[in-house]
């Protein structure tokens, strides 16, 4: 890896931080981001820089970076754009190796801003200092309890999904979906205008990061398409990269230009080239996050043949349609496998795939049914669709007549959760991927467990898309590497 | 309306119910459904029918329907399929006008079942009695506190979305999404095998039901395509109908056959014909439910030109792309409108649509911005994308350094909720539809208010699809009625 890029280690695991623009004005980013850093539990040294204050939030403040009596690994800038350059020169002189420029008001505002931005990059590069941003929301690294970013008091847990996004809002939403799915974050970057480091640099860094298992990225444009694709190919050979691309249409491109000043590229060409480079392209924020999360702790399917197990016939129909529409194959099971399943299921079961459990919610039957599919050699992935009990807690029960059996809800939810662990254990043993989708509400799915449990999908469609993306990725890995 | 169809009034608003197969065996449908009926607060007479018991759940039981000393409006059947016919003849003799056959084991199991089913329908029709089902999960009508259906203790609130579904599970999930959106149910039917009444009959009934404003339907097939389309056209001239069609692909069709024995039709032809008949076709359970809900209490857009207001640039890019991809037009605003907006927004605002509030979350600015768009005559619908504060409550704050400002979350959520009411009031006054999408969690969106508040969308994509469907419906209403 490029030596300067290696300095990202200082950004994600700093021993000390200079915070340029630290303040106690409650509505300023210089307060909100500093406060996130402190309340997130970062244990290194924090040096507020503010020429007008003795202390900030109980920490001794310094007029300039030059005055800090210590080495500084990471400098964070929240001062107005006109003041960044001077502070940055101070940092360069002190040997600071990583700068996080939250400040906006550069290239995205036109020529004058672009000139300031170029000057800033020039100075940083001369000093061997890397810059994240400008015009970004910050970064996070839960393993270091490091959350110098904008979303207020948002401290997602440690995990193995890495993120890079040209939009802070989209970054938050991507992480939100992954956390709701029960997983956590390795490292996340809001890359903003990408004046110095670009998306592809972060991808290269995350490819070598041992904490990161899969990468989710939001991009609005690339500066050098050929270079991007060359380096992306190196990354995707090592780790899956799931991308949401903004600026796919003329109106999206024009919106992107005013957002981060991104240079748009021809959508169709770029998307096709990305796919050839092993990058998985998605169409919505939720799809990007959930697809990326699906790779965590789950074996890759060997092909596109799918077995579907469902507690309700309608869901099986929906799932069959959707699988077929996105190019998966609803496996035709052999008579031998069907008769094995027939032995497990009630008399009125109609043999076929989807395997409709005909409202039989007996957990002791589900496991051998799934095991039969996972070991028969006729399917490459198994979808298990479990309809959680629908609830509406606003309506009071009238128990003067009838019985309050609402305890059944929690019982079934808990049973399902424990059971899903067993099923995922089985998956790991048999090395055939299993995708469980349920209407069970996320908040009842129990404690997060640091990525030990593969995600449970909210919808049939998300689960099917995940199978498809993972099968696509396996096919890519097995293809001969393309030329540069 | 057909006189026999009018008997559905008895099914949805019965003064008295005979429950054939009532039991206290906790794992039987004859208990679970009866218990839902009682705990849901139904206030009419309930007569359990069970020859082996004196009472069921504290109610006096009768050996046969013939023994009930009262008129019966609705008979519910949960006895095994072989016993339905005899009980049904009893009902016919007593002049019962509506039967709900929960029992499965008819046509979906093959020829013998099909013969029983045909005989059952023949007897019912001779007696002027209508049948719902068989092989269904039941019905509900919150206005009557009537919930004789399978999902345990699920009593969704009263509202104006009507449902008909050939699958009970899909029905539950459709209703679940609508309730989560903050809306309620007028009437819902799980139509099962549709031996007697078919989807189109329920559509015709709901078209005349004053409680129903919009209809959501899940279908696996139609028995008579021409007849269906003729009657659907009558319904769609009066109310929007949003359909999710299962059995769109060969694998889906084969799954549907074993589920409800539905006769599948050529997907492409049927879908095109449906669209011509004003039926809106959707591709997932969530899309069907949310699109239907979007019609409640919201004016129809006059065309496909959309204005987008967002607090984050990335979301504006995503929304622009998605709108363009589904055939909406991101409106080009005139210099006059842009300069009006410029007066409201900060100096560093870049004029254009999407209107990026450049992280300005000042509520007093948002309203005039939206009003400018809604009154300028250059947009037909307005999308307002509000990013709720992301949260992760599993991580404890380290407040020995830094401040606990988590109260801001609730403050902003509450403020947003109150504010969304104001915005929707404005929408009703100006008669230009507004679509608010937010990442704010549903459970923090406050009390349901019986459809007074139009739904808040969970995703940019759902909101855009809703605009598109509503614009499509308006164009349909303004087109000359087609020939039958």
């Amino acid at each position: 890896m490029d030596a300067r890029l290696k300095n990202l280690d200082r950004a994600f695991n700093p021993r000390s931080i200079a915070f340029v623009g630290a303040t106690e004005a409650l509505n300023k980013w210089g307060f909100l981001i500093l406060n996130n850093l402190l309340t997130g539990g970062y244990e290194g040294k924090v040096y507020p820089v503010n020429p007008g204050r003795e202390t900030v939030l109980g920490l001794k403040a310094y007029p300039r970076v030059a005055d800090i009596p210590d080495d500084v690994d990471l400098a964070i800038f929240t001062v107005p754009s006109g003041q960044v350059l001077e502070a940055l020169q101070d940092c360069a002189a002190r040997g600071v190796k990583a700068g996080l420029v939250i400040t906006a008001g550069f290239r995205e505002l036109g020529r004058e801003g672009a000139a300031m931005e170029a000057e800033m990059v020039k100075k940083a590069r001369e000093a061997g200092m890397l810059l994240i941003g400008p015009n970004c929301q910050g970064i996070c690294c839960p393993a270091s309890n490091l959350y110098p970013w904008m979303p207020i008091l948002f401290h997602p847990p440690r995990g193995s999904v890495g993120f890079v996004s040209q939009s802070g809002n989209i970054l938050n939403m991507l992480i939100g979906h992954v956390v709701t799915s029960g997983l956590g974050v390795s490292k996340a970057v809001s890359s903003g205008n990408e004046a110095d480091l670009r998306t592809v640099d972060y991808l290269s860094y995350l490819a070598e990061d041992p904490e990161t298992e899969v990468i989710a990225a939001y991009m609005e444009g690339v500066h050098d398409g050929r270079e991007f694709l060359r380096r992306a190919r190196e990354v995707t050979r090592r780790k899956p990269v799931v991308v949401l691309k903004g600026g796919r249409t003329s109106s999206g491109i024009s919106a992107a230009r005013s957002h981060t000043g991104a240079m748009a590229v021809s959508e169709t060409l770029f998307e096709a080239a990305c796919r050839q480079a092993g990058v998985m392209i998605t169409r919505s924020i939720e799809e990007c996050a959930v697809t990326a999360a699906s790779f965590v702790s789950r074996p890759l399917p060997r092909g596109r043949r799918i077995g579907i197990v469902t507690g309700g016939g309608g869901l099986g129909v929906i799932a069959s349609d959707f699988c077929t529409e996105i190019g998966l194959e609803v496996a035709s099971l052999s008579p031998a496998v069907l008769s094995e399943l027939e032995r497990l299921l009630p008399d009125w079961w109609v043999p076929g795939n989807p395997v409709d459990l005909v409202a039989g919610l007996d957990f002791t039957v589900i496991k051998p049914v799934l095991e039969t599919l996972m070991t028969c050699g006729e399917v490459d992935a198994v979808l298990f669709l479990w309809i959680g009990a629908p609830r509406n807690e606003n309506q009071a029960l009238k128990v003067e007549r009838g019985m309050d059996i609402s305890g059944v809800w929690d019982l079934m939810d808990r049973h399902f959760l424990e059971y899903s662990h067993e099923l995922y254990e089985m998956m790991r043993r048999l090395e055939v991927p299993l995708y469980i989708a349920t209407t069970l509400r996320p908040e009842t799915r129990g404690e997060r467990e640091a990525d030990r449990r593969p995600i449970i999908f909210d919808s049939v469609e998300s689960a099917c898309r995940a199978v498809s993306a993972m099968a696509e990725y396996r096919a890519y890995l097995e293809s001969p590497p393309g030329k540069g």
Side-chain angles (χ1 to χ4, degrees), chain A residues 153-201:
Chain A
L153 304 185
F154 183 47
H155 306 134
R158 185 172 178 171
S160 50
V161 186
F163 296 85
V164 49
S165 171
Q166 282 181 261
S167 156
N169 285 144
I170 306 281
L171 178 65
N172 298 343
M173 292 170 74
L174 288 172
I175 294 178
H177 283 293
V178 164
V179 170
T180 303
S181 299
L183 301 185
V185 177
S186 58
K187 288 163 184 70
V189 179
S190 160
S191 65
N193 287 6
E194 304 199 340
D196 180 19
L197 293 196
R198 297 173 179 173
T199 297
V200 75
D201 296 314

Side-chain angles (χ1 to χ4, degrees), chain A residues 36-267:
Chain A
N36 285 340
L37 182 65
L38 298 176
T39 55
Y42 172 66
E43 289 173 355
K45 297 262 169 56
V46 178
Y47 300 106
V49 176
N50 184 330
R53 298 193 54 116
E54 291 289 308
T55 64
V56 177
L57 285 165
L59 302 168
K60 177 171 167 43
Y62 298 83
R64 300 177 54 161
V65 173
D67 304 315
I68 298 172
D70 189 9
D71 282 346
V72 168
D73 276 347
L74 171 67
I76 299 173
F77 303 87
T78 61
V79 288
S81 55
Q83 299 170 33
V84 173
L85 194 61
E86 195 189 335
L88 194 140
Q89 283 171 311
D90 257 22
C91 291
R94 283 299 302 263
V96 177
K97 292 299 179 210
L100 168 58
V101 189
I102 306 287
T103 306
F106 291 95
R107 187 181 55 211
E108 79 280 11
L109 287 195
R111 275 175 65 176
E112 204 181 327
M116 276 203 295
E117 191 173 297
E119 182 65 13
M120 182 171 77
V121 172
K122 184 165 163 282
K123 294 286 179 209
R125 288 186 175 169
E126 283 168 6
M129 177 179 182
L130 62 79
L131 293 183
I132 300 166
N135 186 22
C136 77
Q137 286 214 2
I139 63 173
C140 90
C141 177
S144 312
N145 298 316
L146 184 83
Y147 302 96
W149 66 0
M150 189 51 195
I152 297 170
L153 304 185
F154 183 47
H155 306 134
R158 185 172 178 171
S160 50
V161 186
F163 296 85
V164 49
S165 171
Q166 282 181 261
S167 156
N169 285 144
I170 306 281
L171 178 65
N172 298 343
M173 292 170 74
L174 288 172
I175 294 178
H177 283 293
V178 164
V179 170
T180 303
S181 299
L183 301 185
V185 177
S186 58
K187 288 163 184 70
V189 179
S190 160
S191 65
N193 287 6
E194 304 199 340
D196 180 19
L197 293 196
R198 297 173 179 173
T199 297
V200 75
D201 296 314
Y202 300 110
L203 294 180
S204 294
Y205 180 82
L206 292 171
E208 298 202 14
D209 174 38
E211 291 247 341
T212 301
E213 190 175 339
V214 54
I215 303 167
Y218 170 73
M219 296 168 59
E220 293 190 350
V222 287
H223 295 259
D224 180 342
R226 194 175 295 271
E227 166 75 357
F228 173 83
L229 292 167
R230 186 185 67 74
R231 288 175 58 194
R233 265 193 295 273
E234 292 169 4
V235 177
T236 56
R237 286 276 155 200
R238 305 184 59 170
K239 285 174 192 178
V241 177
V242 182
V243 163
L244 173 63
K245 173 75 175 49
R248 300 190 295 259
T249 64
S250 57
S251 60
I253 288 167
S254 106
R257 198 172 298 124
S258 71
H259 178 221
T260 50
M263 285 192 292
V265 289
S266 155
E267 155 56 5

Side-chain angles (χ1 to χ4, degrees), chain A residues 363-364 366-368 370-371 374 414-430 434 436 453-454:
Chain A
F363 285 104
T364 59
I366 296 168
K367 193 170 175 180
L370 291 172
E371 188 162 11
M374 288 160 92
R414 271 208 310 279
H415 202 135
F416 168 74
L417 279 172
E418 285 165 24
Y419 196 70
S420 70
H421 281 276
E422 269 187 62
L423 296 180
Y424 282 128
E425 287 303 324
M426 183 169 80
M427 170 186 89
R428 279 183 271 267
R429 181 164 48 79
L430 300 175
L434 173 66
I436 303 180
R453 163 170 64 75

Side-chain angles (χ1 to χ4, degrees), chain A residues 314-472:
Chain A
L315 266 187
V317 176
I318 295 284
S320 296
D321 280 333
F322 197 74
C323 284
T324 308
E325 283 167 350
I326 63 173
L328 294 168
E329 181 195 338
V330 181
S332 288
L333 301 174
S334 65
V337 174
L338 289 174
S339 77
E340 212 173 315
L341 291 170
E342 208 157 14
R343 273 199 298 277
L344 299 165
L345 289 159
D347 285 346
W348 57 92
W349 182 62
V350 182
N353 179 27
V355 179
D356 182 351
L357 298 170
V358 284
L361 300 178
D362 179 353
F363 285 104
T364 59
V365 167
I366 296 168
K367 193 170 175 180
V369 163
L370 291 172
E371 188 162 11
T372 301
L373 287 174
M374 288 160 92
T375 53
C376 71
E378 298 177 11
V379 305
D380 301 311
V382 174
L383 204 58
F384 173 37
L385 308 176
W386 168 268
I387 303 111
R391 303 184 192 189
N392 172 53
E393 281 144 7
N394 291 341
Q395 303 284 96
L397 292 184
K398 312 296 188 304
V399 284
E400 53 276 25
R401 301 204 294 183
M403 290 167 62
D404 180 359
I405 53 170
S406 54
V408 170
W409 284 337
D410 291 331
L411 203 71
M412 286 179 71
D413 288 357
R414 271 208 310 279
H415 202 135
F416 168 74
L417 279 172
E418 285 165 24
Y419 196 70
S420 70
H421 281 276
E422 269 187 62
L423 296 180
Y424 282 128
E425 287 303 324
M426 183 169 80
M427 170 186 89
R428 279 183 271 267
R429 181 164 48 79
L430 300 175
E431 291 181 348
V432 171
L434 173 66
Y435 301 78
I436 303 180
T438 181
T439 55
L440 202 66
R441 296 167 309 169
E443 64 273 24
T444 62
R445 290 189 203 152
E447 295 289 310
R448 209 193 65 84
E449 299 175 49
D451 292 0
R452 284 201 303 112
R453 163 170 64 75
I455 64 161
I456 294 172
F457 298 84
D458 279 326
S459 74
V460 177
E461 291 80 14
S462 301
C464 293
R465 279 203 201 89
V467 181
S468 180
M470 291 183 67
E472 180 186 328

